[in-house]
Amino acid sequence: MQLGEGGCRAGSAKITMEHDDTSKERLDSLARAKWAELGGSAEGLKPAERLRIPSQPMPSQPADVRCKNMSEVALGYTETMARLEAARCLQCPAQPCVSGCPVELPIRDFVKAIAQGDFGGAIGLIKEKSLLPSVCGRVCPQEVQCQSQCTVGKALKDVGKAVAIGRLERFVADLERSSGKVEVPAVAASTGKRVAIVGSGPASLTCASDVRRAGHDVTVFEAFHKFGGVMVYGIPEFRLPKAIVESEVDTLRRMGVKFRSNMLIGRSYTVHSLLETEGYSAVFLGTGAGLPHFMGIEGENLVGVFSANEYLTRASLMRAYERGRAATLIAEARRVAVLGGGNVAMDAARTALRLGAEEVYLVYRRTEAEMPARREEVEHAREEGVQFHLLRNAKRVLGNERGQVIGLECLKYELGEPDASGRRSPVPIQGSEYVLDVDAVIVAIGNGSNPLLQQTTPGLEFNKRGNIIADERGATSIPGVFAGGDIVLGAATVILAMGQGRRAAAAINEYLGNCEC
Amino acid sequence: MSAKEQVDYKILHHEALSENVFMLRVYAPEVCRFRRPGQFVLVSVDNDYGERIPLTIADADEKEGSITLIFQRVGLTTTLLSELAVGDSLASVLGPLGQPTKIEKLGKVVCVGGGIGVAPMRPIAKAFKEAGNEVICILGARNRDLIILEDKIRSFADQVIICTDDGSAGRKALVTEPLKELCEAEDKPNLVVAIGPTIMMKFCSEAVRPTGVPIIVSLNTIMVDGTGMCGGCRVNVGGQTKFVCVDGPEFDGLQVDWDGMMSRMKAYSGQERKMLENHQCNLEKAAAELEARK
Ligand SMILES: Cc1cc2nc3c(=O)[nH]c(=O)nc-3n(C[C@H](O)[C@H](O)[C@H](O)COP(=O)(O)OP(=O)(O)OC[C@H]3O[C@@H](n4cnc5c(N)ncnc54)[C@H](O)[C@@H]3O)c2cc1C
Ligand SMILES: Cc1cc2nc3c(=O)[nH]c(=O)nc-3n(C[C@H](O)[C@H](O)[C@H](O)COP(=O)(O)OP(=O)(O)OC[C@H]3O[C@@H](n4cnc5c(N)ncnc54)[C@H](O)[C@@H]3O)c2cc1C
Ligand code: SF4
Ligand code: FES
C-alpha cells in the first residue's frame, strides 16, 4: 500500500541509476543472456569459469519508491538468476559453508540441486533441517554465517561476492509456497501425551513442529492475538511479509498443532499449573527477549521517546502505518533520532521514514564496521536516506513545557588506543556536545528478558541477566520444563532460536519416551 | 482464526449505567478463573485494525465464566465498545494482567473512587472488607447522575461518603475533603486506596502526604501489549522507571511523578480526537446512506 508523502531523501541521481540496476526485468535479462552464453547449463564448468560468473544482485524496489511504501524491499530471484547464482558454487568437498550455518543446512547439496533446476529437490533438502526457510533466507545474517565461510567469497576477496546462499534459500522456499504445494510433514500416531509451548516465536514454532511430528498433542500459548513472535510484532512488513509467517503457522495447524492466543502464561496458567493440574507432561518456554532497555538518561520518559519495541509493535502488529484505518496510533514525527546500530535500529529508522519523517538520524556509539545489523539492512537504510551519526551517543533528551521531545543532546566519541585484544573502543570527547533537532527519539539499544516467568515460576533458575539457565538440549532446572531462543540466549537471531527449538524438541521427545507421565 | 484457537468472547450483557458509562459482561472463562482484585484485561474489538485498551476487571461470575467491565466512553475504542450489543463478540480479551492488590487485614481502609474509578475500586474494597477490615468508601462524581454502583458498594462497606462537584448528591465537595478529615482524625485509617482520574489521584496523594497514612493508587497509563514488552506504559515512581502493566497498576501514590505521567497520557490526544471524529462522521454517512436506500 502507498503511504503518505514521506520525506525520504532517496531519489538522487545515484539512486536513479540503482533503480535501473535492480529491477527484476533488467537483472533477469542480464542473467538470461549469461545463461545462454553458458549454453543453458552449468554442468561441467571449471572452477575458474564459475568464478567468472557475475554474482547475482537481489532485485529490489528502487529506494525512492520503497521508502514510501510498506511492501517488501527485496523482490527475489527469478529462476534463471537462481540457477546462475547457484552455478557459481564450487561444490567444495569440505563444505565450509555448512559449518558456518547454525543448523548445518546441506548448503552445497541444495545449491547443486538449484543449479540443476531441481527446485523441489532443493527445498526438500532444506526442510530436513529448517522449518522456516522463507524467513531465514530473508533475515539471517548470512555474511557472518554460511557466506563468511564460502570459498567463492574468499577467492574473490569479498564476502559480498560469496555464493548468495540466503537468496537461493529464499528463492526455493518462496517457489514452493507460491505453488500452493507445501508439504505438510507426516505426524506419527498419537501418543496421548500433551506438551505446552509458551510463546510462538521461531524457537516455539520449531519445537512445536518437531514434537508434534513425534505424535504428541501440542498446544502453543501466545500472549498476543497473532502468532509468530518478533517475526510479526517486530520485523517490519517491508523486510518480512506477515503472510509468510502466517503460512508457516498454517502448516503447523494442518499438522494438528493447537494454537491459543491471548494467553499470558504466568498470569493465568503458570508453568507449574500446566504440568500439575492441566495435564501437560512437558512445557517448552520460548518467550523471547521482550523487555526493552532504555538508556537511563535524562528526559527519557518525555512524550515522543519510544522503545523500538513499542514503535515497531504499533507500526507492524497493530498496523498503525495504515493511518485512518488502524485504531492504534503512532507518533507523527517529522524528525526522528534512532539510538542503536542493530537490526532493530535499522527497522525502526526505516519505518519512521516510511511513516513520513523528513529526517531520520541513526545515532550509534561505534563505527559502521561494528554495527551488529545485517549488512544489507545497513545499506538499505543508507540508500533510503537514513543519516548516520557514528561515534556519537545520546546524552539527554530535551523537552518543552508540555513534556514533549524537542531535541536530543549528543556527545561525540573517538576511537581510543587499541586495548589488549587490539580493539579500539570509543571514548567520549569532552565538551563536544551538540543538539539534534528532533521531535521523536526511538531507543533501540537491545532487549533484556521479561521478568514475568521469573516472578511466577518458583524453582526455575535464571542467570544474573534474567535468562533461563538451560543445558545444550534446553533442559532447565525443573524436570519436564525446557527452554530455548532469546529467553535463554539473550537477544539473538531467528536461526539460533530455531536451532534451540529443534534441540529442545528432541530432548522433549526423549523425555516423554522415558517418563511415566 | 478457528473458533478453537481463541475463546469466543461473547457479550452476555450490555447496559448503559449513565450517559457515557457502560457495563458489559463478557464470556472469558480463563480470565474469570484466574482474576484477582486489582487486575485488568486488554480488550480489542478487531484483531486486524483494532487497538488494545486496558480495562479493569470490575467483577466476575464463575458460574457463567464471565467478567464484568465498566467503562467510560472517551474515545474511539470505548465508543466502538459502547456500540456493541448482546450476542456480539470482542475480538480479544487478554488477561488477567498486572499484579493483584495485596489484600491484608490492616484495620481501617479508606477506598476512594472518582467517576469511573468506582468500578475498579469496588472489587478491591470488597476484598479488604472480606479480609476483616473496616472499609470506608468515598465516591466522587461531577453530579448525581454520574455516581455509579452506589448500591453495590453500600452492600458491603461500613460507611459510604458521596461527594459531587455540584452538590446534587451527598456533600458538595471534592473527594479530597472527606479524605483529609478521615486521615487527620484521631483513629486514622491504616491505608488509603484511590482510583480515578489522574488529577484526583494526585490530589488525594497530596492530601494524605502530611498525615503519614500510606496511599495506593492504580495508574491508567496508555498501554500497547500489557505484557512488559514495549515500555509505553512506563512512569517514574520514586525516581525509577516502572512499567505499569507488569510492575503495577498499583503504586505508592506518594512516589509517583504525576506531572510526567499526565503529559505522557496526552501523547496521542490530537490524533485520537481525529479518529473519533472520523468514526462519528462515518456513522453519520452510513445512517444517511441507509436513509437514502429506504
Ligand atoms: C525489530 C527486530 C528485528 C530483528 N531482525 C532480525 C534479523 O534480521 N535477523 C535475525 O536473525 N534476527 C532478528 N531479530 C531477532 C529475532 O527476531 C529473535 O532472535 C527471535 O525472534 C527470537 O525468537 P524466540 O522464539 O526466542 O522468541 P520471540 O520471537 O521473541 O517470540 C516470543 C513470543 O513469546 C510470547 N510470550 C512472551 N512471554 C509470554 C508468556 N508469558 N506467555 C505467552 N506468550 C509469551 C511473546 O508475545 C512473543 O510472541 C530481530 C528482532 C527484532 C526485535
Ligand atoms: C490498568 C488500567 C485500567 C483501566 N481501567 C479502566 C476501566 O475499568 N474503565 C474505564 O473506563 N477506563 C479504564 N482505563 C482507561 C481506559 O483504558 C481508557 O479510557 C481507554 O484506553 C481509552 O480508549 P479510547 O480508544 O476510547 O480513547 P482514546 O481515543 O484512546 O482516548 C480518548 C481520550 O482518553 C484519554 N485516554 C487515552 N488513554 C487513556 C487511558 N489509558 N486512561 C485514561 N484516559 C486515557 C486520551 O488522552 C484522550 O483524551 C484503564 C486504564 C488502565 C491503564
Ligand atoms: S563454500 Fe561456497 S562454493 Fe563451497 S560449497 Fe559452500 S556455497 Fe559452494
Ligand atoms: S503496555 Fe507495553 S510494557 Fe506495559
Side-chain angles (χ1 to χ4, degrees):
Chain A
M1 65 154 293
Q2 193 70 25
L3 298 175
E5 250 337 274
C8 65
R9 300 192 142 193
S12 64
K14 181 182 142 279
I15 306 285
T16 317
M17 259 172 56
E18 198 230 17
H19 178 170
D20 294 336
D21 272 345
T22 62
S23 81
K24 203 162 183 165
E25 293 68 30
R26 184 180 140 85
L27 295 177
D28 186 52
S29 75
L30 289 175
R32 280 169 190 273
K34 184 73 199 172
W35 191 241
E37 210 178 283
L38 294 176
S41 162
E43 294 295 315
L45 291 180
K46 295 202 184 68
E49 290 170 310
R50 292 186 187 274
L51 287 175
R52 275 201 298 275
I53 300 175
S55 89
Q56 297 297 299
M58 180 55 116
S60 57
Q61 285 195 66
D64 56 336
V65 173
R66 70 185 189 230
C67 65
K68 297 198 185 82
N69 69 45
M70 271 286 167
S71 311
E72 193 173 12
V73 168
L75 302 171
Y77 280 161
T78 61
E79 269 189 42
T80 313
M81 291 181 77
R83 290 189 69 178
L84 196 58
E85 181 64 29
R88 301 177 63 233
C89 169
L90 305 174
Q91 294 295 309
C92 314
Q95 324 187 52
C97 48
V98 176
S99 50
C101 173
V103 300
E104 301 192 321
L105 285 189
I107 294 166
R108 184 191 63 188
D109 301 345
F110 90 69
V111 172
K112 182 175 188 181
I114 293 175
Q116 293 170 337
D118 176 13
F119 305 131
I123 190 67
L125 285 168
I126 294 174
K127 285 205 157 170
E128 278 173 24
K129 292 272 184 180
S130 166
L131 183 75
L132 304 167
S134 303
V135 176
C136 294
R138 287 173 165 80
V139 306
C140 271
Q142 289 95 1
E143 70 274 11
V144 296
Q145 296 177 1
C146 53
Q147 289 171 203
S148 75
Q149 304 299 315
C150 175
T151 316
V152 173
K154 290 195 169 144
L156 299 173
K157 299 199 169 49
D158 180 357
V159 184
K161 295 221 157 66
V163 174
I165 298 166
R167 293 171 184 173
L168 292 173
E169 178 185 13
R170 164 188 168 149
F171 169 75
V172 285
D174 283 2
L175 195 67
E176 187 198 34
R177 198 163 19 87
S178 61
S179 74
K181 288 191 216 115
V182 175
E183 239 178 81
V184 177
V187 170
S190 169
T191 62
K193 289 181 182 169
R194 298 172 71 201
V195 177
I197 310 265
V198 183
S200 65
S204 294
L205 295 182
T206 309
C207 185
S209 171
D210 284 5
V211 172
R212 178 69 193 134
R213 266 146 81 150
H216 305 300
D217 183 345
V218 175
T219 307
V220 175
F221 294 91
E222 167 58 50
F224 272 123
H225 52 294
K226 297 223 166 116
F227 305 103
V230 168
M231 299 184 292
V232 297
Y233 80 68
I235 305 179
E237 178 76 15
F238 58 80
R239 211 149 67 76
L240 178 62
K242 302 301 152 246
I244 291 177
V245 183
E246 262 162 47
S247 91
E248 301 293 354
V249 170
D250 254 352
T251 305
L252 293 185
R253 284 190 182 106
R254 284 193 277 158
M255 289 169 66
V257 173
K258 296 173 190 147
F259 284 87
R260 295 281 327 266
S261 58
N262 296 320
M263 294 296 307
L264 182 64
I265 302 305
R267 289 272 190 252
S268 55
Y269 301 109
T270 61
V271 174
H272 286 290
S273 79
L274 288 170
L275 288 172
E276 287 151 24
T277 58
E278 301 305 316
Y280 292 93
S281 303
V283 176
F284 174 77
L285 301 172
T287 50
L291 177 79
H293 286 317
F294 286 91
M295 310 264 300
I297 57 176
E298 194 185 321
E300 213 160 25
N301 289 345
L302 289 168
V303 175
V305 182
F306 309 94
S307 74
N309 285 1
E310 177 181 358
Y311 193 76
L312 291 170
T313 301
R314 284 177 180 272
S316 302
L317 184 72
M318 310 307 291
R319 303 205 195 197
Y321 62 86
E322 296 191 43
R323 285 210 168 105
R325 176 140 192 220
T328 300
L329 302 168
I330 195 152
E332 285 169 355
R334 296 266 135 225
R335 304 165 66 86
V336 179
V338 177
L339 314 181
N343 287 319
V344 186
M346 299 301 152
D347 286 346
R350 297 171 68 200
T351 299
L353 273 183
R354 283 161 173 75
L355 288 171
E358 280 149 21
E359 311 283 341
V360 177
Y361 308 108
L362 192 114
V363 178
Y364 181 57
R365 203 165 65 95
R366 300 174 180 271
T367 68
E368 191 167 326
E370 283 94 19
M371 282 188 174
R374 296 177 76 228
R375 264 315 84 196
E376 195 182 345
E377 310 313 327
V378 176
E379 281 158 22
H380 281 162
R382 205 188 270 287
E383 285 165 18
E384 288 167 12
V386 173
Q387 300 164 54
F388 289 16
H389 283 231
L390 302 173
L391 286 168
R392 304 282 187 271
N393 206 1
K395 199 174 162 203
R396 71 190 163 119
V397 189
L398 311 173
N400 62 15
E401 67 292 343
R402 279 174 297 159
Q404 294 159 332
V405 172
I406 53 166
L408 179 72
E409 186 176 286
C410 297
L411 190 62
K412 296 182 183 169
Y413 280 61
E414 61 191 348
L415 287 180
E417 294 302 314
D419 60 16
S421 67
R423 206 167 118 122
R424 301 177 64 192
S425 47
V427 287
I429 306 173
Q430 295 312 324
S432 66
E433 288 85 352
Y434 67 106
V435 173
L436 278 176
D437 170 18
V438 294
D439 52 11
V441 175
I442 303 174
V443 185
I445 56 164
N447 279 311
S449 53
N450 190 311
L452 184 59
L453 284 179
Q454 188 160 12
Q455 288 164 4
T456 57
T457 318
L460 187 60
E461 282 174 18
F462 289 79
N463 68 16
K464 275 207 249 25
R465 297 168 58 215
N467 297 118
I468 296 177
I469 299 175
D471 68 14
E472 68 286 354
R473 306 195 62 207
T476 69
S477 53
I478 303 178
V481 178
F482 299 78
D486 282 3
I487 186 64
V488 170
L489 297 167
T493 57
V494 169
I495 189 75
L496 288 173
M498 223 182 67
Q500 288 215 320
R502 171 142 287 181
R503 278 192 291 278
I508 290 172
N509 291 339
E510 194 181 298
Y511 172 80
L512 294 180
N514 298 333
C515 79
E516 296 293 307
C517 43
Chain B
M1 202 181 284
S2 84
K4 274 195 206 138
E5 292 196 351
Q6 70 165 51
V7 176
D8 182 5
Y9 305 105
K10 265 222 176 339
I11 296 176
L12 305 171
H13 179 87
H14 195 289
E15 179 187 343
L17 297 184
S18 71
E19 192 192 340
N20 280 316
V21 176
F22 298 82
M23 175 169 96
L24 62 80
R25 240 169 44 235
V26 55
Y27 179 68
E30 281 145 328
V31 182
C32 171
R33 178 171 157 201
F34 294 109
R35 102 279 167 216
R36 285 157 64 196
Q39 290 187 302
F40 62 97
V41 289
L42 280 191
V43 304
S44 143
V45 293
D46 170 358
N47 275 341
D48 285 324
Y49 291 98
E51 85 186 309
R52 293 156 46 106
I53 65 161
L55 295 174
T56 306
I57 304 166
D59 205 350
D61 180 336
E62 278 167 25
K63 267 196 253 107
E64 193 176 64
S66 69
I67 55 168
T68 299
L69 305 174
I70 297 180
F71 62 94
Q72 183 161 17
R73 181 161 60 190
V74 294
L76 179 64
T77 302
T78 46
T79 301
L80 293 172
L81 279 174
S82 75
E83 288 164 0
L84 296 176
V86 171
D88 290 342
S89 299
L90 299 186
S92 285
V93 178
L94 167 64
L97 300 173
Q99 312 261 9
T101 312
K102 210 166 127 212
I103 305 288
E104 305 165 90
K105 178 155 192 228
L106 297 165
K108 189 197 275 193
V109 178
V110 175
C111 297
V112 186
I116 184 77
V118 173
M121 178 270 264
R122 182 174 61 121
I124 297 169
K126 201 165 163 216
F128 273 113
K129 178 67 200 174
E130 281 161 6
N133 294 285
E134 177 191 350
V135 171
I136 303 175
C137 292
I138 306 178
L139 315 187
R142 277 203 318 272
N143 62 49
R144 151 206 213 133
D145 295 338
L146 300 178
I147 302 265
I148 55 170
L149 304 174
E150 184 182 340
D151 294 349
K152 296 215 163 160
I153 303 257
R154 286 203 187 275
S155 72
F156 67 82
D158 294 286
Q159 190 189 342
V160 178
I161 303 170
I162 309 263
C163 300
T164 51
D165 295 3
D166 63 356
S168 54
R171 269 170 83 166
K172 180 173 178 191
L174 297 175
V175 290
T176 41
E177 264 185 46
L179 176 64
K180 220 165 156 191
E181 291 160 17
L182 287 167
C183 292
E184 282 167 354
E186 199 62 21
D187 57 339
K188 335 176 158 189
N190 303 79
L191 179 71
V192 172
V193 178
I195 309 183
T198 314
I199 192 80
M200 179 205 95
M201 295 192 282
K202 172 180 171 176
F203 284 114
C204 287
S205 302
E206 291 319 319
V208 305
R209 190 188 295 277
T211 68
V213 178
I215 176 166
I216 286 175
V217 294
S218 179
L219 301 185
N220 49 0
T221 48
I222 292 172
M223 294 189 178
V224 182
D225 60 298
T227 68
M229 186 275 288
C230 77
C233 62
R234 67 195 188 278
V235 290
N236 190 314
V237 181
Q240 281 186 314
T241 294
K242 297 277 180 189
F243 289 4
V244 173
C245 67
V246 286
D247 301 323
E250 290 171 12
F251 294 97
D252 175 354
L254 303 180
Q255 305 269 336
V256 173
D257 167 12
W258 294 106
D259 297 339
M261 175 173 160
M262 283 190 272
S263 64
R264 284 188 64 78
M265 288 186 59
K266 288 194 212 102
Y268 295 93
S269 47
Q271 289 185 64
E272 281 159 352
R273 219 171 309 116
K274 248 188 273 164
M275 288 296 291
L276 184 61
E277 280 162 14
N278 272 350
H279 171 72
Q280 283 160 345
C281 210
N282 288 342
L283 277 183
E284 278 163 26
K285 263 193 236 149
E289 240 170 64
L290 267 182
E291 208 44 45
R293 256 186 242 156
K294 274 190 211 152

